Amino acid sequence: MKLINADCLEYMKTMEDNSVDLTFTSPPYNMNLTFINGKYVQRNDKQHEFRNKYNNDMDNMTMEEYFEFSKNVIDQLLRISDIVFYNIQALAGKKLALCKLFGQDAQNIKELVIWDKINSIPSTNNGVVNSQYEFIIIFEKDQPQRRTFNKYNFERGQLNNIWQIKRERSKLKGHGATFPTELCEKILENFTNENDIVFDPFMGSGTLGVVANKLNRQFIGIERDKEYFDFAVERINNTQIGLF
C-alpha cells in the first residue's frame, strides 16, 4: 500500500510510464456549477446538502476549467496506467465538458459502462428528470488495434455493460461520493490479477484500497484533503489487520 497526501496532478507527473496495471477513479462532480436563467453560475452554497459532495472543496470550476482539468487527468492516467476506469456523472456542471472529453479521447475509449444505481436521486427542480445512472468510461491505449481487453477474467457472454449496483452510504461524514464495495470488486475481479498494482488518484475514503487489500492487489492512492486522507489511511490499515 502506498498512500499519498498530495495534489494528484502534481504527484502523477513524478510517476513512471506504464507503472500501474489498472486505475479506477472518480473525479470531482463539479456540483456547484449550475445553469440558471440561461447561463452557467458558480455557486458558493455550502449549506445545500445535495450540491456539496466534499467538505473542503467548493466543486465549482467553470466549464472550461473542468474540461482542462479532466483532460490533464486523463492524459496522465493513460501515460501511467494500462487501463483506466473513469467514473463520471452527466450533471449540469459538466455535461459540455463530458461531451468534449468523449470526442477528445475517442481513440482511447474501449467501452462505456452504465452504472445503474437502481434508486434514482430526485431532481432539485421541476421539469428535470431524476438521475439514476453514471458512466464508467474505460480507456485503453491500444484501443484502435484490439477489440478485446488486454487482461480479463471473464468468458464470452458473462459480462455486460450495464451494472446494477446500489450506492452505499458514505463511511466518512462530509464525503458524499463513495464507491460501493461491490463496484470495486466487480472491476478488480474481472480486470486484474493478484499482485497487480491498482491506482486511485482521487482516493477519498479509501474504498478501492480496502477492496484491493482484500483481493491481494497492490494499491496506490492519492488524496489531497487531509481529513479524507487520514480517514482512508486508518480504514485501509484496519482492513489489513481485520478490524474494518
Side-chain angles (χ1 to χ4, degrees):
M1 296 288 169
K2 186 174 184 180
L3 310 177
I4 303 107
N5 181 208
D7 179 277
C8 69
L9 271 174
E10 291 304 313
Y11 190 87
M12 283 193 288
K13 293 174 185 177
T14 71
M15 297 175 68
E16 296 182 2
D17 294 357
N18 306 310
S19 56
V20 169
D21 294 296
L22 178 143
T23 296
F24 178 31
T25 198
S26 184
Y29 278 62
N30 214 37
M31 294 287 289
N32 276 317
L33 180 68
T34 191
F35 202 69
I36 300 175
N37 297 326
K39 62 180 181 180
Y40 284 103
V41 176
Q42 292 171 278
R43 289 183 181 270
N44 293 296
D45 180 8
K46 293 300 290 181
Q47 303 305 312
H48 198 300
E49 182 179 0
F50 175 75
R51 293 192 184 97
N52 289 289
K53 297 287 187 181
Y54 319 102
N55 260 352
N56 301 315
D57 193 325
M58 288 309 303
D59 203 28
N60 64 350
M61 299 182 212
T62 67
M63 194 65 71
E64 293 76 17
E65 288 170 342
Y66 191 80
F67 171 73
E68 288 300 322
F69 169 78
S70 301
K71 180 181 179 296
N72 290 337
V73 169
I74 292 169
D75 286 348
Q76 286 294 329
L77 291 177
L78 285 170
R79 178 184 67 80
I80 293 164
S81 184
D82 292 343
I83 186 170
V84 177
F85 289 72
Y86 198 78
N87 169 223
I88 193 166
Q89 191 173 11
L91 300 174
K94 58 186 167 190
K95 280 182 182 176
L96 292 180
L98 176 57
C99 291
K100 286 177 68 176
L101 286 171
F102 280 144
Q104 175 79 27
D105 293 296
Q107 73 277 9
N108 293 311
I109 296 176
K110 192 79 159 193
E111 182 62 86
L112 281 176
V113 169
I114 301 297
W115 169 24
D116 177 1
K117 297 179 286 189
I118 302 176
N119 298 313
S120 61
I121 299 174
S123 66
T124 57
N125 295 296
N126 295 329
V128 178
V129 298
N130 296 339
S131 178
Q132 185 168 316
Y133 76 93
E134 299 188 20
F135 290 113
I136 299 177
I137 311 170
I138 306 178
F139 296 99
E140 264 194 343
K141 282 175 279 198
D142 67 348
Q143 192 281 328
Q145 287 78 45
R146 292 173 60 96
R147 290 184 60 197
T148 60
F149 289 99
N150 290 331
K151 183 183 294 184
Y152 56 91
N153 299 320
F154 56 92
E155 300 299 325
R156 177 179 175 268
Q158 289 184 340
L159 189 66
N160 63 30
N161 56 8
I162 299 178
W163 298 349
Q164 292 185 308
I165 298 173
K166 287 185 177 181
R167 292 179 299 145
E168 287 182 8
R169 186 179 298 275
S170 176
K171 295 184 181 296
L172 173 60
K173 184 178 180 180
H175 190 288
T178 302
F179 283 147
T181 299
E182 183 182 351
L183 185 61
C184 296
E185 290 172 344
K186 194 175 192 76
I187 290 172
L188 298 194
E189 288 173 347
N190 283 290
F191 296 96
T192 65
N193 297 324
E194 286 195 3
N195 294 316
D196 279 356
I197 300 174
V198 177
F199 178 45
D200 185 356
F202 301 99
M203 178 172 60
S205 62
T207 303
L208 188 63
V210 170
V211 174
N213 182 58
K214 289 180 178 178
L215 296 178
N216 296 317
R217 273 65 168 170
Q218 300 180 67
F219 178 70
I220 302 172
I222 304 174
E223 176 53 54
R224 73 176 184 180
D225 186 289
K226 188 63 165 60
E227 179 184 357
Y228 298 167
F229 176 77
D230 289 344
F231 179 88
V233 169
E234 181 180 8
R235 186 178 177 208
I236 292 168
N237 286 341
N238 284 341
T239 302
Q240 291 178 301
I241 61 175
L243 295 180
F244 232 100

